[in-house]
Amino acid sequence: MFNSGGSIIDVPGIKVGHQQDLVGMTGCSVILMEQPAVCGVDVRGAAPGTRETDLLNPVNRVDRVNAILLAGGSAYGLDAASGVMRYLEQQNIGFDVGVGVVPIVPAAVIFDLAFGDAKSRPDAAMGYRAAQQADKSAFPQGNIGAGTGATVGKLAGHALCMKGGLGSASITLSNGLIVGAMVVVNAVGEVRDPATQKVLAGARNQQGEIESSLSLMLADVTDGGPAGTNTTIGIITCNANMNKSQMTKIAQMAHDGLARCIYPIHTMSDGDTIFAATTGGVDVSVNLLGTLAADVLAQAVVNAITYAVGVLGIPSWQDLHQENR
């Protein structure tokens, strides 16, 4: 069911744009909806950095979004959403308020200030450029957009972590349902391949070998940095006929995909947040869609790690894989 080389852009009505600073090691990624998309969100981490997530509560009025922003820069990176809004307003896209439009752009950020230049952060100009360049073109994974400064495995301290990144994947069914995911993996814990349970990336020891996260916690070698300096954020998109409450449930179920890959997950040091948006068109059950959402998100997490490239002395899965060949 997984599309070989598939990504979130396989979903009808979804466009993606990325911008990054490869010197400062940060960036942002914008998911633009060609038509307003029904959207829900589920925040599981204890230290989230988000914008407009309250609006997506099923009891609140607005049920459709025009774009979603994923960004680095910690809370500073939320500024990039202003640039996305400015671009959309220029296209007269947004919620009609009578005297104009207000683009609906929920956002979530990761903490990447400890990697690269702490003063380099996604801003409104970067968000504008990412939105302006969003299209249906295939894009690389790993060190791109919001995944540029992502790292994982920080339980032994940042110096012994490994490179995280941005990943995407998609699933297509014979009835025309397409489920896509895009995720930025910046977890405090290790990342495993759910198919084999083999650890792909995590905290390393002084010899460069990956240590067990549980062993480090039991030994109280649990640096990990201050609370909130890690996070996995992402979005599920699809073309299912769903309402806002149902898409909120899909976001909840999708978190299972993170739990299959990241250990530990949803910690006091993470701000894990998953959006779920649909462009509509295909009838499907919530149970099936939520199951597929978790599967495709797990694959996107694996892709984020295996496509990432080591930089600034922080190795990636590719580096260790080449060493062991």
Side-chain angles (χ1 to χ4, degrees):
M1 290 190 300
F2 283 107
N3 300 340
S4 177
S7 78
I8 194 170
I9 58 171
D10 295 329
V11 176
I14 299 298
K15 300 190 293 186
V16 175
H18 305 281
Q19 283 288 297
Q20 52 275 325
D21 176 356
L22 295 178
V23 176
M25 295 306 296
T26 194
C28 68
S29 300
V30 176
I31 302 91
L32 285 189
M33 319 303 179
E34 293 180 345
Q35 298 296 327
V38 177
C39 189
V41 67
D42 188 56
V43 181
R44 294 287 178 93
T50 58
R51 177 183 184 275
E52 297 277 43
T53 51
D54 282 349
L55 188 69
L56 299 182
N57 187 311
V59 304
N60 292 333
R61 179 178 180 183
V62 176
D63 67 344
R64 296 175 187 267
V65 303
N66 303 112
I68 297 289
L69 170 77
L70 306 178
S74 189
Y76 295 107
L78 293 171
D79 184 41
S82 298
V84 181
M85 287 188 68
R86 180 162 61 90
Y87 171 78
L88 290 171
E89 183 185 24
Q90 291 173 355
Q91 315 305 312
N92 197 37
I93 295 172
F95 185 75
D96 188 350
V97 292
V99 294
V101 296
V102 177
I104 307 301
V105 186
V109 294
I110 66 167
F111 181 96
D112 56 6
L113 302 181
F115 191 61
D117 182 358
K119 296 298 183 181
S120 178
R121 305 146 185 175
D123 56 13
M126 182 181 281
Y128 184 94
R129 292 194 301 271
Q132 187 178 42
Q133 295 179 11
D135 59 23
K136 298 287 290 185
S137 301
F139 55 86
Q141 300 181 57
N143 301 21
I144 185 174
T148 301
T151 51
V152 299
K154 286 160 273 190
L155 285 169
H158 195 276
L160 295 172
C161 71
M162 290 181 64
K163 188 69 181 71
L166 179 145
S168 190
S170 67
I171 293 176
T172 300
L173 298 190
S174 59
N175 67 349
L177 178 70
I178 304 173
V179 184
M182 191 167 78
V183 64
V184 180
V185 186
N186 187 59
V188 68
E190 65 195 34
V191 179
R192 303 170 176 175
D193 183 338
T196 64
Q197 287 302 301
K198 182 177 181 180
V199 176
L200 302 175
R204 297 171 295 129
N205 58 26
Q206 296 295 336
Q207 291 71 47
E209 301 164 327
I210 299 177
E211 293 279 359
S212 160
S213 292
L214 180 58
S215 295
L216 290 171
M217 289 187 287
L218 290 172
D220 202 28
V221 186
T222 54
D223 185 322
T229 59
N230 312 275
T231 286
T232 297
I233 55 177
I235 178 172
I236 298 293
T237 61
C238 64
N239 60 340
N241 292 323
M242 293 280 162
N243 61 34
K244 189 178 179 183
S245 295
Q246 290 169 323
M247 291 310 294
T248 299
K249 184 61 179 177
I250 299 307
Q252 290 177 351
M253 294 177 72
H255 272 278
D256 289 351
L258 299 185
R260 295 170 194 167
C261 302
I262 301 171
Y263 182 84
I265 189 68
H266 305 146
T267 73
M268 297 301 292
S269 298
D270 291 290
D272 307 318
T273 300
I274 299 297
F275 298 97
T278 183
T279 57
V282 179
D283 289 329
V284 65
S285 72
V286 170
N287 286 344
L288 176 57
L289 181 57
T291 299
L292 294 175
D295 286 346
V296 73
L297 186 57
Q299 183 61 48
V301 170
V302 171
N303 289 348
I305 298 303
T306 57
Y307 279 95
V309 177
V311 65
L312 299 182
I314 301 299
S316 66
W317 173 87
Q318 293 187 22
D319 295 324
L320 297 191
H321 186 67
Q322 289 171 357
E323 290 174 5
N324 294 329
R325 293 181 65 178

